[in-house]
Amino acid sequence: MTLDLAAGGNGVDLVVAKALQKGVDLRQYKENFLKRRLDIRLKARGIGDYLQYARLLESDPAEFHLLMATFSINVTEFFRDVEFYNAFYSHIIPDMHHRSGRKEVRVWSAGCASGEEPYTIAITFAEAAESLDGFRGKIVATDLSTKAVDTARQGIYDSSRLASLPDELRSKHFARMPDGRYQASDRLKSMIEFGTGNLSTMNTPQQLDAVFCRNVLMYFDKDTQFKILTKFHGSLKDGGYFVLGQSEAVMGESSALFEAVMPKERIYRKR
């Protein structure tokens, strides 16, 4: 089936309007990304244009939740970018522990998708606790998609999703289930508080030691990116860390908010 992208105009506007009625502003996304997400649902439902899809959203309330699930960026894995996590474990965690005055270190995984990132952070925290006296860590993990967050809360993953996880860490922090999948330990789960939220409109956690927002901002337009970055800046303690993905960077007016401390690893500090 060939999708009728030319019919986008009013049809896309109607879809955006339907989402606004439900409290989700899709206008924040870049146009091409928005259309790609919509096209997933059009194809799944056998619909040829956006106008028809807007009508479907009106007649089938469950479809809206399926649409929201497509906006979760699910290209993720445990210990994605090993060099970054080595730097985070060796340099950033000890510094956060020192700066916190040995109080609990708090990190936000913004755009956590199906949970691989917050569980990876939890693993680094658990390992750090074995060598840093009194270290305690807490992770707030949020995503726009309720479905993705529900998956993350369960903490159950196919073995292929743990391919980058060393055998020692896998056996230490996950239990193998009868069906061959792996479930995160209660210790990891206890460190993470999952929730749903739209980055541009939600009330953000405060007094954070670090914010992770890796490979998410690239899908937003520039105005929304700056709005979100400003919110991150306000959520961080003085000198708190901000982490981007390898294909992203703090540039332009956002440079007034954050300074690079480990540019190669995309680790920044609040100015």
Side-chain angles (χ1 to χ4, degrees):
M1 179 181 68
T2 301
L3 298 178
D4 184 11
L5 297 181
N10 292 334
V12 172
D13 292 345
L14 280 173
V15 172
V16 169
K18 298 294 182 187
L20 278 172
Q21 291 172 4
K22 296 180 180 292
V24 178
D25 188 356
L26 299 180
R27 295 173 300 181
Q28 64 196 302
Y29 293 105
K30 294 178 180 177
E31 182 179 2
N32 288 340
F33 175 73
L34 174 58
K35 287 185 175 182
R36 288 198 303 272
R37 299 293 102 178
L38 291 176
D39 291 347
I40 291 172
R41 294 307 307 157
L42 264 66
K43 185 175 181 180
R45 297 302 297 262
I47 293 173
D49 63 62
Y50 302 124
L51 184 58
Q52 285 181 274
Y53 187 69
R55 293 175 182 144
L56 176 66
L57 288 174
E58 185 70 33
S59 63
D60 184 357
E63 177 60 29
F64 179 75
H65 298 289
L66 295 172
L67 174 62
M68 290 300 97
T70 69
F71 283 85
S72 179
I73 313 304
N74 284 315
V75 181
T76 184
E77 61 182 312
F78 286 89
F79 283 92
R80 185 178 185 183
D81 300 324
V82 173
E83 288 186 8
F84 160 76
Y85 279 105
N86 284 335
F88 179 72
Y89 176 80
S90 300
H91 302 289
I92 306 305
I93 289 180
D95 185 63
M96 291 193 299
H97 181 49
H98 174 73
R99 286 170 173 267
S100 70
R102 301 203 170 191
K103 295 180 181 178
E104 183 177 76
V105 167
R106 298 182 68 241
V107 172
W108 179 17
S109 172
C112 69
S114 49
E116 285 87 342
E117 178 176 272
Y119 282 116
T120 299
I121 299 170
I123 291 170
T124 64
F125 281 178
E127 294 298 309
E130 296 182 4
S131 58
L132 292 176
D133 184 37
F135 178 82
R136 292 178 297 121
K138 190 72 175 180
I139 303 144
V140 179
T142 64
D143 198 88
L144 176 65
S145 168
T146 301
K147 181 179 178 181
V149 170
D150 287 344
T151 298
R153 280 198 183 100
Q154 293 176 22
I156 298 174
Y157 300 94
D158 292 336
S159 59
S160 61
R161 305 298 283 270
L162 279 71
S164 298
L165 194 62
D167 291 344
E168 179 185 355
L169 293 180
R170 183 169 59 243
S171 61
K172 189 174 182 179
H173 297 291
F174 289 83
R176 194 172 190 273
M177 302 172 67
D179 62 4
R181 294 183 297 168
Y182 287 83
Q183 184 163 39
S185 68
D186 289 341
R187 183 184 184 189
L188 294 187
K189 289 184 176 182
S190 70
M191 294 186 204
I192 309 171
E193 177 185 338
F194 287 104
T196 57
N198 185 324
L199 291 180
S200 65
T201 58
M202 67 183 288
N203 292 326
T204 59
Q206 298 296 304
Q207 290 298 297
L208 298 168
D209 296 282
V211 174
F212 279 57
C213 189
R214 309 186 74 211
N215 307 302
V216 175
L217 286 177
M218 66 178 75
Y219 298 104
F220 293 94
D221 63 44
K222 290 189 180 299
D223 289 342
T224 303
Q225 286 177 9
F226 185 70
K227 178 181 178 181
I228 294 172
L229 286 168
T230 301
K231 295 180 75 169
F232 289 160
H233 184 270
S235 292
L236 286 165
K237 297 177 182 177
D238 290 342
Y241 290 97
F242 173 55
V243 180
L244 283 171
Q246 288 299 301
S247 59
E248 302 169 305
V250 169
M251 298 183 293
E253 58 183 341
S254 301
S255 299
L257 303 175
F258 302 100
E259 61 178 338
V261 292
M262 301 184 76
K264 181 181 177 182
E265 289 79 14
R266 299 297 193 269
I267 299 174
Y268 299 83
R269 180 180 283 140
K270 175 179 177 176
R271 289 188 185 275

